[in-house]
Amino acid sequence: MRAYRFFMFAPSPIPATEPPRDCPHCPRLVDFRHALRAEFPGWWNAPVPAFGDPGAWLAIIGLAPGKHGANRTGRPFTGDFAGDLLFKTLAGFGLASGVYGGRPDDGLTLNGAIILNAVKCLPPANKPSPAEIHACRPFLEGQVAALPTVRIVIALGQIAHQSAVKVLGGRLPKARFGHLAEHRLPSGMILLDSYHCSRYNQNTGRLTAAMFEAVFARAVALRP
């Protein structure tokens, strides 16, 4: 497997909002990170930074890095099954330029969109604990605050939805998760929900390409 040269990667578009590479806030995630660094020393194995356009009008919030995706490559949704559908959809709506090659050096750029995560570090079994989600929320809050032109947010999955609602000043009882659900929040932003584009959801038919595209079509229709 290729050992990536992480020092050659493009920096975060909002670097002042990123946690340190050895973020200490979640002991379980720190232990997992250290174990993976020993097992896969050529992988990123650190909090994954935001990726995209700092002047974005659309923010996409995912759950957390995937083990063989962003945790390996250092770029959100890059190198795993979920990224194939996400970046194809973004390109289809003019929100991505270049060819997605599943590598952080493939030259892909986002136009008007930025990708964030509710949890910055890889959780075991892709399941962060409530305490870990809460500990990472200030980073998400800081990133949203650093994107003054964002007006629409797409949350991929229920955990991303819950974090987004809280960051954007909403209340969960009044903003329930559902695919294609639309929430106008006190911050003035519009939150759209989608099932996560995970391999499981795609393989089981819970999420189809057409369903995913419908969420982005709605975002484009709502664009200020």
Side-chain angles (χ1 to χ4, degrees), residues 78-135:
T78 298
D80 61 16
F81 192 82
D84 294 345
L85 178 58
L86 175 60
F87 290 117
K88 180 180 179 180
T89 303
L90 289 173
F93 285 93
L95 296 167
S97 300
V99 178
Y100 171 64
R103 307 182 316 275
D105 60 352
D106 58 15
L108 185 77
T109 59
L110 302 188
N111 314 310
I114 191 166
I115 301 173
L116 315 172
N117 269 329
V119 176
K120 286 282 191 176
C121 295
L122 171 69
N126 294 321
K127 293 181 179 179
S129 70
E132 291 159 355
I133 297 166
H134 185 267

Side-chain angles (χ1 to χ4, degrees), residues 31-113:
D31 289 345
F32 195 37
R33 179 196 308 153
H34 288 165
L36 287 173
R37 285 180 181 176
E39 186 176 2
F40 303 105
W43 288 13
W44 176 252
N45 290 321
V48 174
F51 170 58
D53 183 354
W57 60 270
L58 173 66
I60 301 149
I61 301 178
L63 169 55
K67 180 177 179 180
H68 295 276
N71 182 68
R72 175 173 63 87
T73 65
R75 193 177 76 181
F77 289 93
T78 298
D80 61 16
F81 192 82
D84 294 345
L85 178 58
L86 175 60
F87 290 117
K88 180 180 179 180
T89 303
L90 289 173
F93 285 93
L95 296 167
S97 300
V99 178
Y100 171 64
R103 307 182 316 275
D105 60 352
D106 58 15
L108 185 77
T109 59
L110 302 188
N111 314 310

Side-chain angles (χ1 to χ4, degrees), residues 70-208:
N71 182 68
R72 175 173 63 87
T73 65
R75 193 177 76 181
F77 289 93
T78 298
D80 61 16
F81 192 82
D84 294 345
L85 178 58
L86 175 60
F87 290 117
K88 180 180 179 180
T89 303
L90 289 173
F93 285 93
L95 296 167
S97 300
V99 178
Y100 171 64
R103 307 182 316 275
D105 60 352
D106 58 15
L108 185 77
T109 59
L110 302 188
N111 314 310
I114 191 166
I115 301 173
L116 315 172
N117 269 329
V119 176
K120 286 282 191 176
C121 295
L122 171 69
N126 294 321
K127 293 181 179 179
S129 70
E132 291 159 355
I133 297 166
H134 185 267
C136 214
R137 192 165 296 140
F139 294 113
L140 178 62
E141 186 173 14
Q143 296 199 320
V144 171
L147 298 166
T149 56
V150 166
R151 293 294 177 267
I152 299 172
V153 175
I154 293 176
L156 303 181
Q158 182 143 205
I159 289 175
H161 163 84
Q162 291 171 350
S163 286
V165 170
K166 292 180 179 180
V167 164
L168 299 176
R171 296 181 61 192
L172 289 173
K174 293 185 177 181
R176 296 186 181 279
F177 176 80
H179 187 77
L180 262 181
E182 183 175 321
H183 314 280
R184 295 178 182 267
L185 298 174
S187 63
M189 294 188 193
I190 298 172
L191 174 64
L192 299 173
D193 293 333
S194 174
Y195 292 136
H196 195 283
C197 49
S198 65
R199 179 188 293 272
Y200 177 83
N201 282 347
Q202 292 187 60
N203 285 349
T204 60
R206 188 183 194 200
L207 179 70
T208 65

